[in-house]
C-alpha cells in the first residue's frame, strides 16, 4: 500500500464515517431513550434528502448569496424531520407503547413502508439532483490529492453534532433529565419528569437528525427512490457495533465501519458490502450488546 | 406424537391439487408463491412462539434458491425432489452452524444479528460476478421423476410440489410444536430461567428452532426458484425478510395453517393493491400491518385454531406475554 492509497483510505474512511455517524446518531438517541429500534429512520433520511434537494433547487433560482443555500438545506431537513417525528410519535407509536420491543420494530417498519410511498406521492418516481452546494464549496489540494471541500464540511458537521449532543446530554438540565429517563423510566416519572414530553421531543429530534443526514448527503448523491432502504441497514450496523443507545458507541461504530469500508474499496473492492456487515456480525459475536453497552441481567 | 387431525391441512391441499386443472393460471401462480412464502413463515412462527423474530430469514430463503439454481447449473442432477431435499438440507445446515452463534441472543439483538447475517450473504451475492451480481441468473430446466418439465408446465408442477412440501412441513410443524421441546417455547418466552430450572436447555431449544426454521425457509426458496425460474440477490435483502415477518404478524403465532392462509392473503392483497394504486401499494400494506398489530395482535391464525387454545386460556402466548409485561 503506497502513501497515495493510504491518504485516500484515510480521507474516504473519515468522510464515510462522518456520514454514518450523522445518520446513526438519531437512531441511537431514539433507542437510548425510548427503547425503540426505529426502522422509519430510513424514511426520515429519504424525506430529508428530498426536502433538501427541493429547497436547494428553489434557492438556486434566486440570486441570494450562496451561503444561504447551506442554511436552506439544514432548515428544510430539520423542519421536515421534526414534523415526521411528531406525526409518527403522536399519531402511531403512542398507541403501541405497551407492546413488546420487537412488535414496535414492526410498527416502525409499517411506518417506513408508508413513508416510502408518501415520498412517491409527493415527489414522484424521478430522481432529483442538488449538486449546487458541492459545486459552490469547491475543491482543495493536499499534496497531489484533490479534496472536495464539501467532504470537509460533512466531517465538520459530524463533529459539531457529536459536540452538541455531548453538551446537551451532559451539561444542560434537559439533558440530565433525559439521562434519568434513559436509566430508569419509571423512577424518572415518579420524580416528576414528564416522560411523555421527553419521548415526543426525543423522537422529533432523532427524526430530524435522520433527515439532516439525508439532506447533507443530498448534494453528493442522486436523490432517488430506495436511498432510505439502503441507509437503514447501514445505520443499524453502526449502532449495533457501538451499542444501541450509546452516543460514543455511534462514533466508534461509524469510524470502524467507515474505515473498514474504505480499506475494502481501495484494496479489495469485491468485499465492499460484505465487510460492513462482517464487522457488525464479528462485534456482535463477541459483544452481543455492542462495544459500549453492558448486557442487562436476566430476569428471574 | 402424531394426531389424525394433523392430516386436515394435507387433505385440504390434496383437494386443491385435484382442482388445479380448473384453477386460473394467476391463481396457481399466486398460490405457489404463497405456499413457498408460507413455508418460510411457518419457520418464523416456530421461532416467534419462543419470542424470537428473525429479520434475516431471507438468508436461508436465498440459500435454498441459489442451492437449487447452482446444482442445476453445475451438475447433471436435475430432479426436483433431490433439489428440494438438497436445498432444505443446505439451508438447515447453515442455520445449524449459525445457531451456535445466535442461540445466545434475544429480542432486538436476535433480530439485528440475523439481519446482519442475511445482509452479508446479500453483499457476497451482489459482488459475485459469476452468479450474475445484482441481476442473478436463470434457473435451468429441471425434471420430476425422470421427465423433463417443459416451461409451460413448470408453474403447475411447481404448484403440486409446493402443496406436497407444505403438507409435509405442516405435519412436521404440528408434531414439533406439541413435543416437549416445541411446547417449551411459550414458557421460555415468559421466563427463561424458570425453563432452565425445569431441566431444559434453553440454548438447545432455540438452536433447534433456528435450524428447523432455516430448513423450511430453504425449501421455500427452492420452490420459488423452481416456479419462477430465476434467482437474484434481492432474495437475501432485508426487505424480503421484512415481508416474511409481515406475513408472520398477519398469521400470528397460534396456528400452523394460518401461515399459509396469511401468505395467500398477503399475495392477494399485494396484487390487488398494485392494481388499484400502483404507486401506493406499500402505503396500503403499511396501513394494513398497523391495523393488524393494533386490532388483531394474535393474527388471523387465532380464527383458525380454537379448540387447542381455548381450553386453556391462561396459557395462550398472548396472555402470558401480557401478564409478563404487566409484572415488569
Amino acid at each position: 500500500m503506497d502513501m497515495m492509497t493510504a491518504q485516500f483510505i484515510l480521507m474516504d474512511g473519515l468522510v464515510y464515517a462522518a456520514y454514518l455517524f450523522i445518520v446513526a446518531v438519531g437512531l441511537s438517541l431514539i433507542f437510548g431513550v425510548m427503547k425503540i429500534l426505529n426502522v422509519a429512520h430510513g424514511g426520515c433520511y429519504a424525506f430529508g434528502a428530498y426536502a433538501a434537494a427541493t429547497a436547494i433547487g428553489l434557492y438556486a433560482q434566486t440570486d441570494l448569496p450562496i451561503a444561504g443555500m447551506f442554511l436552506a438545506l439544514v432548515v428544510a431537513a430539520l423542519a421536515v424531520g421534526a414534523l415526521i417525528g411528531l406525526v409518527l410519535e403522536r399519531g402511531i407509536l403512542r398507541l403501541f407503547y405497551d407492546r413488546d420491543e420487537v412488535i414496535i420494530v414492526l410498527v416502525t417498519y409499517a411506518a417506513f413502508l408508508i413513508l416510502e410511498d408518501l415520498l412517491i406521492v409527493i415527489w414522484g418516481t424521478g430522481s432529483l439532483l442538488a449538486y449546487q452546494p458541492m459545486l459552490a464549496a469547491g475543491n482543495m489540494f493536499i499534496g497531489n490529492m484533490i479534496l472536495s471541500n464539501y467532504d470537509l464540511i460533512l466531517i465538520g458537521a459530524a463533529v459539531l453534532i457529536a459536540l452538541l449532543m455531548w453538551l446537551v446530554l451532559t451539561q444542560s438540565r434537559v439533558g440530565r433529565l433525559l439521562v434519568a429517563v434513559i436509566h430508569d423510566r419509571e423512577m424518572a416519572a415518579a420524580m416528576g419528569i414528564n416522560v411523555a414530553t421527553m419521548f415526543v421531543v426525543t423522537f422529533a429530534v432523532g427524526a430530524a437528525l435522520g433527515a439532516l443526514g439525508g439532506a447533507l448527503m443530498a448534494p453528493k448523491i442522486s436523490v432517488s427512490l430506495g436511498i432510505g432502504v439502503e441507509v437503514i441497514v447501514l445505520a443499524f450496523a453502526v449502532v449495533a457495533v457501538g451499542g444501541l443507545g450509546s452516543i460514543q458507541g455511534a462514533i466508534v461504530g461509524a469510524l470502524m465501519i467507515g474505515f473498514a469500508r474504505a480499506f475494502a474499496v481501495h484494496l479489495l473492492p469485491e468485499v465492499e458490502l460484505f465487510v460492513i456487515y462482517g464487522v457488525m456480525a464479528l462485534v456482535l459475536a463477541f459483544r452481543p450488546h455492542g462495544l459500549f453497552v453492558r448486557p442487562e441481567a436476566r430476569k428471574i | 406424537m402424531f394426531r389424525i387431525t394433523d392430516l386436515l391441512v394435507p387433505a385440504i391441499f390434496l383437494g386443491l391439487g385435484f382442482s388445479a386443472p380448473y384453477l386460473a393460471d394467476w391463481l396457481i401462480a399466486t398460490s405457489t408463491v404463497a405456499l413457498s412464502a408460507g413455508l418460510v413463515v411457518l419457520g418464523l412462527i416456530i421461532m416467534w412462539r419462543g419470542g424470537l423474530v428473525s429479520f434475516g430469514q431471507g438468508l436461508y430463503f436465498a440459500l435454498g434458491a441459489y442451492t437449487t439454481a447452482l446444482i442445476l447449473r453445475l451438475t447433471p442432477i436435475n430432479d426436483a425432489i433431490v433439489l428440494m431435499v438438497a436445498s432444505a438440507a443446505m439451508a438447515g445446515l447453515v442455520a445449524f452452524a449459525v445457531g451456535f452463534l445466535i442461540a445466545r441472543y434475544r429480542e432486538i439483538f436476535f433480530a439485528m444479528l440475523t439481519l446482519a447475517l442475511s445482509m452479508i450473504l446479500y453483499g457476497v451475492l451482489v459482488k459475485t460476478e459469476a452468479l450474475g451480481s445484482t441481476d442473478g441468473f436463470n434457473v435451468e430446466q429441471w425434471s420430476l421423476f425422470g421427465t423433463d418439465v417443459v416451461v409451460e408446465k413448470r408453474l403447475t408442477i411447481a404448484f403440486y410440489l409446493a402443496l406436497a412440501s407444505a403438507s409435509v412441513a405442516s405435519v412436521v410443524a404440528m408434531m414439533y410444536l406439541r413435543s416437549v421441546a416445541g411446547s417449551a417455547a411459550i414458557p421460555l418466552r415468559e421466563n427463561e430461567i424458570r425453563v432452565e430450572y425445569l431441566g431444559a436447555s434453553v440454548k438447545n431449544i432455540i438452536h433447534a428452532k433456528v435450524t428447523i426454521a432455516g430448513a423450511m425457509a430453504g425449501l421455500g426458496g427452492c420452490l420459488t426458484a423452481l416456479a419462477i425460474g430465476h434467482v437474484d440477490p434481492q432474495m437475501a435483502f432485508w426487505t424480503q425478510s421484512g415481508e416474511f415477518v409481515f406475513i408472520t404478524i398477519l398469521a400470528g403465532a397460534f396456528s400452523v395453517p394460518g401461515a399459509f392462509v396469511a401468505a395467500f392473503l398477503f399475495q392477494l392483497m399485494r396484487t390487488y393493491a398494485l392494481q388499484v394504486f400502483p404507486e401506493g401499494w406499500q402505503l396500503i400494506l403499511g396501513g394494513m400491518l398497523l391495523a393488524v398489530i393494533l386490532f388483531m395482535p394474535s393474527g388471523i391464525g387465532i380464527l383458525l385454531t380454537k379448540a387447542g387454545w381455548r381450553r386453556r386460556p391462561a396459557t395462550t402466548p398472548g396472555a402470558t406475554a401480557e401478564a409478563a409485561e404487566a409484572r415488569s
Side-chain angles (χ1 to χ4, degrees):
Chain A
M1 186 168 67
D2 54 69
M3 266 312 284
M4 192 70 182
T5 323
Q7 282 175 352
F8 274 123
I9 289 176
L10 180 68
M11 208 49 219
D12 277 1
L14 276 177
V15 172
Y16 200 63
Y19 153 67
L20 288 174
F21 172 75
I22 297 171
V23 175
V25 72
L27 193 71
S28 200
L29 177 72
I30 291 175
F31 187 87
V33 177
M34 306 170 75
K35 300 286 172 284
I36 290 175
L37 188 59
N38 180 22
V39 181
H41 203 69
C44 297
Y45 174 87
F47 264 86
Y50 272 90
T54 309
I56 289 168
L58 289 175
Y59 194 89
Q61 287 169 3
T62 66
D63 339 307
L64 297 166
I66 201 84
M69 191 182 274
F70 293 93
L71 191 67
L73 178 152
V74 172
V75 170
L78 291 181
V80 166
L83 182 70
I84 294 176
L86 280 178
V87 172
L88 281 185
E89 204 279 341
R90 284 292 91 186
I92 299 177
L93 285 174
R94 194 167 52 94
L95 306 173
F96 299 92
Y97 281 151
D98 55 339
R99 303 291 181 88
D100 241 27
E101 277 177 30
V102 176
I103 295 294
I104 299 184
V105 175
L106 295 169
V107 171
T108 61
Y109 173 60
F112 173 72
L113 290 177
I114 294 172
L115 285 177
E116 280 283 287
D117 272 5
L118 279 182
L119 210 61
I120 303 181
V121 172
I122 298 173
W123 277 284
T125 47
S127 59
L128 299 177
L129 288 176
Y131 55 85
Q132 290 91 337
M134 187 99 171
L135 215 60
N139 296 320
M140 64 185 261
F141 292 85
I142 296 180
N144 47 5
M145 190 169 61
I146 309 176
L147 276 180
S148 164
N149 286 335
Y150 192 81
D151 285 346
L152 299 179
I153 294 178
L154 210 57
I155 296 175
V159 173
L160 194 68
I161 290 173
L163 271 177
L164 273 177
M165 293 277 286
W166 175 78
L167 266 178
V168 171
L169 282 178
T170 58
Q171 306 298 314
S172 77
R173 183 185 143 76
V174 176
R176 280 192 296 244
L177 293 182
L178 210 56
V179 171
V181 175
I182 292 172
H183 278 284
D184 193 327
R185 191 186 298 174
E186 282 171 3
M187 190 54 88
M191 291 294 162
I193 299 175
N194 189 341
V195 175
T197 314
M198 286 291 188
F199 274 23
V200 181
V201 173
T202 304
F203 200 81
V205 170
L209 281 170
L212 185 63
L216 288 171
M217 281 310 277
K220 282 173 68 78
I221 56 174
S222 154
V223 178
S224 54
L225 293 175
I227 55 173
V229 178
E230 301 287 335
V231 85
I232 186 64
V233 277
L234 279 177
F236 276 6
V238 171
V239 292
V241 166
L244 279 159
S246 158
I247 305 298
Q248 305 98 293
I251 298 173
V252 174
L255 284 171
M256 277 175 73
I257 291 181
F259 275 98
R261 179 177 171 276
F263 271 103
V265 166
H266 287 285
L267 302 176
L268 202 61
E270 304 86 56
V271 299
E272 180 198 332
L273 274 168
F274 167 85
V275 81
I276 295 172
Y277 303 102
V279 169
M280 172 177 174
L282 202 66
V283 170
L284 287 184
F286 293 102
R287 299 271 311 198
H289 295 259
L291 295 173
F292 283 82
V293 176
R294 283 161 183 275
E296 281 175 34
R298 293 205 291 182
K299 239 190 324 194
I300 297 189
Chain B
M1 188 173 57
F2 176 77
R3 279 190 201 159
I4 197 76
T5 48
D6 290 351
L7 289 177
L8 200 64
V9 178
I12 293 169
F13 284 159
L14 193 67
L16 272 177
F18 277 117
S19 55
Y22 312 103
L23 298 177
D25 278 349
W26 70 267
L27 195 59
I28 290 186
T30 306
S31 309
T32 311
V33 175
L35 287 165
S36 313
L39 282 167
V40 186
V41 172
L42 199 51
L44 279 169
I45 286 180
I46 287 175
M47 287 196 279
W48 197 29
R49 287 222 178 176
L52 299 168
V53 174
S54 160
F55 243 97
Q57 215 57 5
L59 168 66
Y60 309 109
F61 184 67
L63 262 178
Y66 271 82
T67 303
T68 294
L70 278 176
I71 291 178
L72 282 170
R73 188 197 236 193
L74 302 175
T75 70
I77 301 167
N78 65 356
D79 189 81
I81 306 293
V82 179
L83 292 171
M84 282 156 60
V85 173
S87 298
M90 180 71 188
L93 209 65
V94 172
F96 180 69
V98 165
F100 285 105
L101 176 65
I102 67 173
R104 305 186 319 214
Y105 297 77
R106 304 291 178 270
E107 296 181 345
I108 283 178
F109 304 98
F110 185 86
M112 299 234 327
L113 191 59
T114 50
L115 174 78
L117 293 171
S118 74
M119 289 302 289
I120 287 179
L121 180 68
Y122 173 77
V124 170
L125 292 178
V126 163
K127 290 282 173 180
T128 312
E129 304 249 323
L131 298 179
S133 296
T134 45
D135 293 336
F137 60 98
N138 284 334
V139 176
E140 285 167 28
Q141 182 162 50
W142 45 277
S143 70
L144 186 62
F145 306 131
T147 320
D148 280 351
V149 175
V150 290
V151 177
E152 301 84 66
K153 284 265 181 181
R154 195 170 64 193
L155 201 56
T156 319
I157 305 288
F159 177 56
Y160 291 133
L161 290 175
L163 284 172
S165 314
S167 303
V168 174
S170 68
V171 172
V172 170
M174 285 187 195
M175 286 169 64
Y176 167 74
L177 290 176
R178 256 201 315 273
S179 72
V180 174
S183 46
I186 288 156
L188 184 150
R189 179 184 174 137
E190 189 179 351
N191 193 315
E192 281 186 15
I193 293 178
R194 289 185 198 166
V195 175
E196 274 182 358
Y197 283 171
L198 291 175
S201 161
V202 169
K203 209 180 229 180
N204 288 354
I205 292 171
I206 290 177
H207 201 157
K209 285 182 182 300
V210 169
T211 310
I212 296 172
M216 284 183 172
L219 185 55
C222 164
L223 288 166
T224 307
L226 293 180
I228 295 175
H230 185 81
V231 293
D232 65 45
Q234 211 63 32
M235 290 174 139
F237 198 56
W238 77 268
T239 47
Q240 177 69 59
S241 307
E243 198 174 298
F244 292 135
V245 177
F246 187 129
I247 304 173
T248 309
I249 295 300
L250 193 58
F254 290 86
S255 126
V256 168
F260 299 102
V261 176
F264 185 72
L265 281 180
F266 177 82
Q267 287 302 331
L268 277 189
M269 241 155 59
R270 186 163 70 173
T271 314
Y272 186 69
L274 264 171
Q275 275 168 4
V276 287
F277 197 11
E279 280 168 2
W281 65 277
Q282 295 193 93
L283 203 118
I284 298 174
L285 285 186
M288 249 156 199
L289 181 57
L290 284 180
V292 169
I293 297 176
L294 194 57
F295 300 115
M296 291 180 79
S298 311
I300 52 170
I302 194 83
L303 304 175
L304 299 168
T305 340
K306 295 203 169 148
W309 293 105
R310 220 175 238 179
R311 248 182 277 139
R312 300 181 298 272
T315 58
T316 58
T320 47
E322 276 155 29
E325 266 159 20
R327 270 199 300 280
S328 66

